[in-house]
Amino acid sequence: MPTEPRRPLTDPVRRRLVPVVALLLLAPWAAECSWGGFTLDDFLPVLVFLGPMYGGAAILIRETARHLGAGWPTIVLLAAAFGVLQAGLVDQSLFNPGYLDDTEYADTRAAAEATLVPGLGFSLRQAFDYVGNHIVLTICAPIVLVESFLGSDRRLRPWLGRPGLAVVAVLYLLGSLLIFSDSGRKGFLASPLQLTFAAALVLALVAVALLPRWRRPRPRRTRRAPHPLWVGLVVVLVHFGTDLTPGWPGVGIALALAATVGGLVAYWSSRAGWGQRHVLVAGSASLVTAAAFAYLVPPYSPASPAVALAGDVAVTVVTVALTGGAWWRLGRTSSDVHVAPS
């Protein structure tokens, strides 16, 4: 849905680059570290090697939506397109049954193969996890957090012009090519049918994301939006409900929960009183949940209990600092400014 008419980029370059750099670094950390995938020693390499790809994608998606005057439906759909692009065409983990065999998650292969899609050879369970995590952790949560630290006059405006977008696009392509190399794909190459399916799905999601309907104004409902914490609660429930049962029934429950909660949040966003605090809670609830569960999952590579715990504690500290700081910042800026329905 619409945010505000596009205005010229009048802020000093340095002022506009601060949120760009923040998003460039936060996206890879949220995508790979926030849920316990890497130990503390690996945080910096993750930011350096995955920042151009994950951070570049987050910046390009955010800037596309803001330049168009579109809102969160466009961002979410473009994030889904990125998730399919990443897992289906870049590292091709979506189609590689042995992608996690050299990690601490090798034992998840049997559960994944229980939901193989006939003819296409990918697990719908893994597709939900991979693409869903890219939507909520790689793209949406970082954008929400960075925008919440900004004043209401800068929050929904573009940060980059064409030269800046071109630089970010080059960074993203180089980062993606690095992962597309044999080491990133782990020597696997999907079949032409699988690659065609993934590419067609990416194009379809991008086409829907760019529809003019997401930029048309929509009147607000008279009923007031619920307290932001209720919004966060329903988002967290999706995470608790997606692993209730294995196999196809579990995937059905996960998809139904995600669709229901997404529809409910969209409905609430059309009510009076919906503001940036609601957006912050909705966007960061998944990050907070991932950080909480980091203590229960192992990192990709074997690590001693002490090293793993240090990484999990670091994740907690960073997550609390980011979400708490964003909430505090909204209290000092125009947090009562309403956000367009989405």
Side-chain angles (χ1 to χ4, degrees):
M1 303 314 298
T3 54
E4 64 176 25
R6 178 181 172 182
R7 291 188 285 174
L9 303 176
T10 56
D11 293 335
V13 174
R14 180 184 300 178
R15 194 165 185 246
R16 287 188 278 118
L17 286 182
V18 170
V20 172
V21 174
L23 189 53
L24 187 71
L25 298 176
L26 183 55
W29 183 86
E32 298 292 351
C33 302
S34 66
W35 53 272
F38 288 91
T39 60
L40 182 58
D41 292 342
D42 291 326
F43 282 10
L44 182 58
V46 166
L47 300 185
V48 172
F49 290 104
L50 298 183
M53 181 177 62
Y54 286 150
I59 294 168
L60 292 174
I61 288 171
R62 190 265 176 196
E63 289 297 288
T64 297
R66 299 316 183 201
H67 274 282
L68 291 175
W72 282 101
T74 294
I75 292 176
V76 171
L77 287 166
L78 289 177
F82 165 73
V84 176
L85 176 66
Q86 175 64 31
L89 298 175
V90 179
D91 64 32
Q92 302 186 14
S93 56
L94 184 61
F95 302 116
N96 184 356
Y99 190 78
L100 298 176
D101 284 356
D102 59 347
T103 73
E104 294 294 282
Y105 295 89
D107 58 351
T108 63
R109 180 169 180 172
E113 292 179 344
T115 57
L116 286 179
V117 176
L120 290 172
F122 72 90
S123 166
L124 192 58
R125 170 81 256 181
Q126 282 187 332
F128 178 85
D129 292 338
Y130 291 166
V131 178
N133 283 340
H134 280 309
I135 293 173
V136 299
L137 293 181
T138 309
I139 306 298
C140 291
I143 291 176
V144 165
L145 286 168
V146 173
E147 288 188 344
S148 295
F149 274 95
L150 303 178
S152 58
D153 60 327
R154 301 171 59 207
R155 187 174 299 139
L156 304 181
R157 293 171 59 188
W159 300 330
L160 297 174
R162 290 182 179 177
L165 290 174
V167 171
V168 174
V170 170
L171 282 176
Y172 168 71
L173 289 175
L174 292 176
S176 297
L177 287 174
L178 176 65
I179 301 301
F180 181 74
S181 65
D182 281 344
S183 59
R185 288 184 288 108
K186 300 185 178 181
F188 175 85
L189 185 63
S191 70
L193 176 61
Q194 291 172 327
L195 296 175
T196 301
F197 168 77
L201 186 54
V202 169
L203 292 176
L205 288 168
V206 171
V208 176
L210 299 181
L211 288 176
R213 64 172 298 176
W214 308 126
R215 304 191 290 276
R216 295 171 186 165
R218 181 173 295 181
R220 286 194 175 274
R221 304 177 188 271
T222 55
R223 295 188 62 183
R224 290 194 62 81
H227 191 279
L229 293 181
W230 284 107
V231 179
L233 178 61
V234 298
V235 174
V236 170
L237 287 177
V238 175
H239 295 272
F240 282 97
T242 52
D243 293 318
L244 289 176
T245 183
W248 289 103
V251 173
I253 293 173
L255 291 172
L257 275 174
T260 301
V261 170
L264 184 60
V265 171
Y267 171 72
W268 281 342
S269 74
S270 67
R271 290 186 176 186
W274 180 272
Q276 185 62 24
R277 288 187 174 179
H278 293 84
V279 177
L280 172 60
V281 173
S284 62
S286 296
L287 180 67
V288 173
T289 306
F293 278 94
Y295 293 90
L296 304 178
V297 300
Y300 283 120
S301 300
S304 68
V307 171
L309 179 60
D312 297 337
V313 171
V315 164
T316 299
V317 171
V318 173
T319 302
V320 170
L322 289 171
T323 55
W327 188 270
W328 173 83
R329 178 65 176 166
L330 286 178
R332 295 178 58 86
T333 58
S334 303
S335 59
D336 292 333
V337 174
H338 294 172
V339 178
S342 55

